[in-house]
Amino acid sequence: MRPFDARTRSGRESGALSGLDRLIGVDEPALDAGLDGLVPPVPLKIQVQTATRCNAACAMCPYPEVAGAPDFTHGQMSDALYDRLLTQLAGRPVERFSPFLMNEPLLDKRLESLVGRARTALPGTTLGLFTNGSALTPARAEALAGAGLDELCVSVHGFDPTTYGEVMAGLSLERVLDHLRAIVGLHRAGTLGGLTLQIITGDTPALSHSAAAAPDWLAPYVVLKGFSNERVVSGSPSASADASRTPDGARPLCQRPFVKLYVLSDGDCVMCNCDWRRRVNLGNIGRTDLDTIWQGAAYRALRRLHVRRAFEAAHPCHGCDYPWVVDE
């Protein structure tokens, strides 16, 4: 598991994952029985794409190529579908709920309302959000905090205009920093309540060097995060082939199919945030209830593949580097 993601790992997640390696090499009935005993009855972490659009063309992200393809259709999750999902989750031990996925969530004007409805349905669940910050005004930060958001992560990849422009094409560093200065002021004054604020920057040599130049008022909030090779996994033709190389030896286990659910705006459930081309569809929450999807044949088959580490070359997980970057 990547160090940044390990910060959200709970005892329940660790317990679910700790026994999976013991299932390597067992026969199919024993594998299925073992998974039944280890996989939580409900996803511990859920990401939801309330709308599909993004306003950036970040260098590490497949969005520009995927969203520009002729077969891609933009859309917005209906209120009825969103509420259907929340109704199925209410009263259940979901640990994290995040209304963002393969998009810029603040482009959805309903976001504050959506966060508020999640807060009502899931009072004990951590609500988190990642944004590129372009539409994050101080007023919206206050509104999100007031709606019940627990964690706000703002991606700022580069703290000088040149580096930022090379990575986060289409956005204005000056605009983002102007807003963040005011938001940091609100946070320090306690106006945002218990909201956790983090400024996320990529853990690469160039970006780490740029992070050292972050303004003094922002530096305490900066957290480094490694990039996944999402463009390689998505099949982006301009992605470097070198990025798909993985070390020799036994493949570490990816925790995502065992504890996480990813829901697109049309209700389709994909296997993770790297499956931009939607090649592995696990069900649709508008047509099937969540429990049936989570415990269904498609998820079971995916989990078996992960335990076996038996991916064909065409499978999105085959060249993914996510499991290789683990805690020291």
Side-chain angles (χ1 to χ4, degrees), residues 5-238:
D5 296 313
R7 83 199 198 288
T8 67
R9 180 171 47 196
S10 67
R12 291 175 64 223
E13 180 175 344
S14 296
L17 299 174
S18 63
L20 291 174
D21 281 335
R22 295 196 297 270
L23 300 179
I24 298 173
V26 303
D27 60 23
E28 290 298 310
L31 176 56
D32 285 340
L35 289 173
D36 286 341
L38 291 171
V39 174
V42 65
L44 301 182
K45 303 174 180 179
I46 299 172
Q47 281 186 244
V48 179
Q49 181 189 63
T50 70
T52 58
R53 294 191 181 276
C54 184
N55 55 349
C58 295
M60 66 288 186
C61 182
Y63 176 84
E65 292 172 350
V66 174
D71 59 344
F72 186 88
T73 302
H74 280 289
Q76 178 173 284
M77 180 174 283
S78 69
D79 288 321
L81 184 59
Y82 184 79
D83 290 337
R84 170 183 165 87
L85 175 60
L86 291 179
T87 297
Q88 295 182 68
L89 296 175
R92 308 188 71 182
V94 178
E95 295 179 355
R96 298 182 65 83
F97 184 89
S98 305
F100 72 93
L101 176 62
M102 302 177 185
N103 69 339
E104 170 42 51
L106 283 164
L107 297 184
D108 189 337
K109 302 299 185 182
R110 308 169 299 164
L111 188 60
E112 290 83 351
S113 172
L114 298 175
V115 169
R117 282 142 66 185
R119 177 79 293 152
T120 299
L122 306 169
T125 299
T126 297
L127 305 183
L129 193 70
F130 262 78
T131 171
N132 62 35
S134 59
L136 183 63
T137 62
R140 293 202 77 180
E142 284 191 86
L144 287 167
L149 190 69
D150 295 297
E151 297 180 1
L152 179 59
C153 295
V154 185
S155 297
V156 182
H157 300 300
F159 293 88
D160 63 273
T162 299
T163 303
Y164 183 89
E166 289 174 350
V167 180
M168 304 190 74
L171 304 182
S172 166
L173 177 62
E174 182 180 9
R175 173 186 173 85
V176 169
L177 290 181
D178 280 348
H179 287 165
L180 284 177
R181 183 187 292 274
I183 292 167
V184 165
L186 293 173
H187 187 263
R188 289 179 172 165
T191 307
L192 302 182
L195 180 73
T196 297
L197 176 65
Q198 293 185 323
I199 309 304
I200 309 302
T201 195
D203 188 9
T204 67
L207 292 177
S208 297
H209 178 76
S210 180
D216 291 343
W217 54 268
L218 193 60
Y221 293 87
V222 174
V223 178
L224 297 180
K225 179 181 186 295
F227 292 135
S228 295
N229 62 342
E230 292 180 57
R231 293 178 64 244
V232 171
V233 176
S234 73
S236 298
S238 60

